Amino acid sequence: MPMNEIIDKYTTHSKNLGKTDKQPSIDLNLEHSKCSSLNEQLAEASLQLRQMRGEELEGLSVEELQQMEKNLEAGLQRVLCTKDQQFMQEISELQRKGIQLAEENMRLRDQMPQVPTAGLAVPDTENVLTEDGQSSESVMTALNSGSSQDNDDGSDISLKLGLP
């Protein structure tokens, strides 16, 4: 490598070093300015959040309080609307699942006659005997006559024992 090329590289490099020394200083000032601006924005947003929560309201005028009230009411409306939409979606999904389950139930009922009973007799489900020899009808009669005054909430409770 000739001596002139080495000298040219040295001078070019030293000039670039001088420029880069000034550049970080400018970049650092710019970053410091951005940081200060972001800190101010954070402080303002934090104050607004506290005021929306009902804190630090002492310095606000009546007009500012009324504007905050309108903003809160609009926000509450959006929250209620979103909640209602989610409820409706959940209801639709549950209805869809209910229809699927009803269809599956019907499909299984249709398959029931096809299942061989293997000699098992299905008892009469209307009047099945319990383990102690009482029929389900007599158990229901005893239940209904026993504590109707204690549980007078308008609900109808019935119990059937036995296999379907």
Side-chain angles (χ1 to χ4, degrees):
M1 191 178 262
M3 186 60 112
N4 287 338
E5 285 181 31
I6 294 173
I7 293 173
D8 285 341
K9 285 184 180 182
Y10 172 76
T11 55
T12 304
H13 183 65
S14 62
K15 287 179 184 176
N16 287 340
L17 284 177
K19 289 180 182 177
T20 56
D21 286 344
K22 294 178 184 176
Q23 188 66 26
S25 175
I26 293 171
D27 288 343
L28 187 59
N29 287 338
L30 183 61
E31 291 297 320
H32 180 66
S33 173
K34 285 181 183 178
C35 184
S36 296
S37 174
L38 289 174
N39 279 334
E40 289 174 12
Q41 289 177 4
L42 177 63
E44 179 64 27
S46 296
L47 175 63
Q48 287 177 351
L49 179 61
R50 286 190 302 275
Q51 288 174 340
M52 290 293 219
R53 290 181 179 164
E55 303 167 5
E56 300 183 30
L57 300 175
E58 300 81 28
L60 297 177
S61 67
V62 173
E63 291 82 20
E64 290 172 320
L65 289 170
Q66 287 174 335
Q67 184 61 42
M68 185 179 297
E69 181 181 12
K70 287 179 185 177
N71 292 342
L72 287 169
E73 287 174 350
L76 179 61
Q77 245 348 84
R78 288 189 298 272
V79 167
L80 292 174
C81 183
T82 302
K83 183 183 77 170
D84 288 345
Q85 287 174 348
Q86 288 180 356
F87 277 151
M88 294 308 290
Q89 288 173 348
E90 286 181 29
I91 288 170
S92 296
E93 182 65 21
L94 290 173
Q95 287 174 339
R96 185 186 63 76
K97 286 181 181 178
I99 290 170
Q100 285 178 339
L101 289 173
E103 290 171 354
E104 179 71 8
N105 193 14
M106 291 301 294
R107 187 183 64 77
L108 291 172
R109 282 188 187 178
D110 290 344
Q111 291 177 357
M112 278 298 287
Q114 298 170 1
V115 176
T117 58
L120 295 176
V122 178
D124 177 19
T125 58
E126 292 299 316
N127 196 8
V128 178
L129 293 179
T130 63
E131 289 180 11
D132 62 355
Q134 289 184 327
S135 70
S136 60
E137 187 175 302
S138 63
V139 170
M140 286 303 298
T141 305
L143 285 174
N144 287 337
S145 65
S147 62
S148 63
Q149 294 171 346
D150 295 339
N151 293 328
D152 193 16
D153 59 358
S155 64
D156 182 44
I157 300 173
S158 63
L159 172 67
K160 288 190 177 184
L161 303 173
L163 295 174

